[in-house]
Amino acid sequence: MAEGQTRRRGKALLDAIYAAAVAEAAVAGPGRLTMDAIAKRAATPRSTLYRRWSDPRDLLLDALADLHPVEQPHPGADDLRGDLIAALRLMCDWAFSDAGRAVMAIVADPRRDPATVDALFERVFAARGGTFTQTVLRHYAEHGQIDPARLTPVVLDIGEALVTKRMMDLGADPGDQYLEAIVDQAILPAIGRDPADG
Amino acid sequence: MAEGQTRRRGKALLDAIYAAAVAEAAVAGPGRLTMDAIAKRAATPRSTLYRRWSDPRDLLLDALADLHPVEQPHPGADDLRGDLIAALRLMCDWAFSDAGRAVMAIVADPRRDPATVDALFERVFAARGGTFTQTVLRHYAEHGQIDPARLTPVVLDIGEALVTKRMMDLGADPGDQYLEAIVDQAILPAIGRDPADG
DNA sequence: GGTTTTAGGTACACGACTGTATCTAAAACT
DNA sequence: AGTTTTAGATACAGTCGTGTACCTAAAACC
């Protein structure tokens, strides 16, 4: 800092640290997440990190909790199919963000401890109204267009599960065509609206 | 080795190394997999490992390829539902083996490169006839009990996807009741046999 | 303006893992 | 029995991450 020596502090510094942590986690996987790498990426000395957190996992959880909340689906009134596809699109976009990849890697970590995952779900997802297609399905059930009895935990998870698996298999975005296939061939039949029927 | 000094060689040694590699990967996650840890667990000097592999990832892929193949579902003739549930049960059991957890962690690794995953699929899964429920569904389609046109990539993946997601969410075995729910509420409706219909 | 807080910048000893390089002795082959 | 192969047991320098400590100077507070 030879000339423009401004010193970050408080929120500005925290934001830089959080961004660095999430970016590092997405690149390295939380298993390889280190204080050192976060500090380097945030261009701050490690001592600053150790003053607040004792371990990179704690830091990452704070970082994820602090992030802007995920964009929510905003279902309309009479396009269930389109709204479901849009919800899955939102999910894909989120999943390929740094935060999404960090969360994925935490959840799939064989060394994960239940406390970490619980903390993650409570702090990161509790604020949200549920999963992506869940929001849409509940909305249409409230408007009497879906039998609420159909919305079991299994059914509410179909879309997210298929998207997740496809991303794991391919390592890439499933693509809109595949999202449509998920809606037409799995979700709609499960709520009793099989497009193949009349 | 003071007294019973027998020296492993060839297959016996390889088996010990492979077992150690898979066990390490399952415990540590492939991201944290090190030559050192494998060598210690296999009680062999690192030099022995470096003579054959240059990197723990290569070693792990060989180890996974060498493993006993996964148990296959053996569908009967007239119990589609039961056979699907049994296939998902097989999948859960495999997923919680060392090999299953190692594979899961490889696939979910944000730092995975496509070549590794391709190699994994070719070498580990190519020998098998496909995924777990896939085997069952194809069997019943061949016997004329399912419309083959229904067996799209999405539909063939529903069971595995829901099991995978549930395991990631819970970090534990989904339990037989949940497997039944998957079959009844997701797979069967998707192939046009919705139990909720007449 | 003086004081308190806290980021920036180093340094250090420790441990883990890496590749490589020996040397030895047990298996395997002839 | 003699030879070849290769596992076992070190050792070593190099790199990376850890925690901790210490000093300095910029922000923030009064």
Side-chain angles (χ1 to χ4, degrees):
Chain A
M1 303 249 161
E3 20 195 339
Q5 78 264 36
T6 198
R7 186 171 280 192
R8 296 167 301 177
R9 214 184 160 90
K11 187 170 182 328
L13 178 61
L14 272 186
D15 284 350
I17 293 173
Y18 286 159
V22 174
E24 264 308 303
V27 168
R32 274 170 297 234
L33 190 60
T34 67
M35 289 298 220
D36 206 49
I38 300 172
K40 276 191 183 108
R41 192 183 278 259
T44 200
R46 284 209 315 288
S47 32
T48 302
L49 302 188
Y50 279 111
R51 211 177 335 254
R52 293 173 210 254
W53 303 276
S54 59
D55 129 45
R57 194 187 60 90
D58 287 349
L59 204 176
L60 178 61
L61 283 177
D62 278 358
L64 287 172
D66 178 78
L67 284 182
H68 300 310
V70 185
E71 192 183 350
Q72 294 274 91
H74 26 268
D78 56 357
D79 184 15
L80 173 57
R81 180 175 183 273
D83 287 340
L84 284 172
I85 293 171
L88 292 181
R89 178 80 266 145
L90 274 182
M91 181 197 170
C92 290
D93 293 345
W94 173 80
F96 279 91
S97 70
D98 282 352
R101 278 182 294 175
V103 168
M104 174 88 78
I106 288 180
V107 170
D109 189 342
R111 256 175 74 174
R112 80 192 219 172
D113 63 327
T116 303
V117 181
D118 287 355
L120 178 70
F121 274 64
E122 277 173 32
R123 297 178 57 181
V124 181
F125 294 118
R128 297 191 13 220
T131 58
F132 297 84
T133 56
Q134 210 173 102
T135 306
V136 174
L137 290 170
R138 288 243 165 83
H139 173 87
Y140 280 89
E142 279 163 21
H143 289 61
Q145 301 194 38
I146 300 176
D147 175 7
R150 288 280 198 167
L151 300 189
T152 62
V154 167
V155 170
L156 291 172
D157 247 12
I158 292 176
E160 282 75 9
L162 281 164
V163 166
T164 303
K165 177 142 194 307
R166 183 73 169 181
M167 291 192 304
M168 287 174 78
D169 286 352
L170 257 62
D173 190 296
D176 288 331
Q177 221 175 331
Y178 197 80
L179 300 186
E180 290 176 29
I182 290 175
V183 172
D184 291 334
Q185 298 166 20
I187 302 179
L188 292 179
I191 58 173
R193 294 228 201 149
D194 194 333
D197 294 347
Chain B
M1 303 247 162
E3 19 194 338
Q5 77 264 37
T6 199
R7 187 172 278 191
R8 295 166 302 176
R9 214 185 160 90
K11 187 170 182 326
L13 179 61
L14 272 184
D15 284 350
I17 293 173
Y18 285 159
V22 174
E24 264 307 304
V27 168
R32 276 169 295 232
L33 190 59
T34 67
M35 288 298 217
D36 206 48
I38 299 172
K40 276 192 183 107
R41 193 183 278 259
T44 200
R46 282 207 318 284
S47 31
T48 302
L49 302 187
Y50 278 112
R51 200 168 296 140
R52 293 175 211 253
W53 303 278
S54 59
D55 145 28
R57 195 188 58 91
D58 287 349
L59 204 175
L60 179 60
L61 283 177
D62 279 358
L64 288 172
D66 177 78
L67 284 183
H68 300 309
V70 186
E71 191 183 352
Q72 293 277 92
H74 27 268
D78 55 357
D79 183 16
L80 173 58
R81 179 174 183 275
D83 287 339
L84 284 172
I85 294 170
L88 292 181
R89 176 81 266 144
L90 274 181
M91 181 197 170
C92 289
D93 293 345
W94 172 81
F96 279 91
S97 70
D98 282 352
R101 277 182 294 175
V103 168
M104 174 89 78
I106 288 180
V107 169
D109 189 341
R111 254 175 75 175
R112 79 192 217 173
D113 64 326
T116 302
V117 181
D118 288 354
L120 179 70
F121 274 63
E122 277 172 33
R123 299 177 55 180
V124 181
F125 295 117
R128 301 191 10 218
T131 58
F132 296 84
T133 56
Q134 209 174 101
T135 307
V136 174
L137 292 170
R138 288 242 164 84
H139 173 87
Y140 280 89
E142 279 163 21
H143 288 62
Q145 302 194 37
I146 301 176
D147 175 7
R150 287 279 198 169
L151 300 189
T152 62
V154 167
V155 170
L156 291 172
D157 248 11
I158 293 176
E160 281 75 9
L162 281 164
V163 166
T164 304
K165 176 142 194 308
R166 184 73 168 182
M167 289 191 305
M168 288 174 76
D169 286 353
L170 257 62
D173 190 294
D176 287 331
Q177 219 174 332
Y178 197 79
L179 301 186
E180 289 177 31
I182 290 174
V183 172
D184 291 334
Q185 298 166 19
I187 303 181
L188 291 179
I191 58 174
R193 294 228 201 150
D194 194 332
D197 296 348

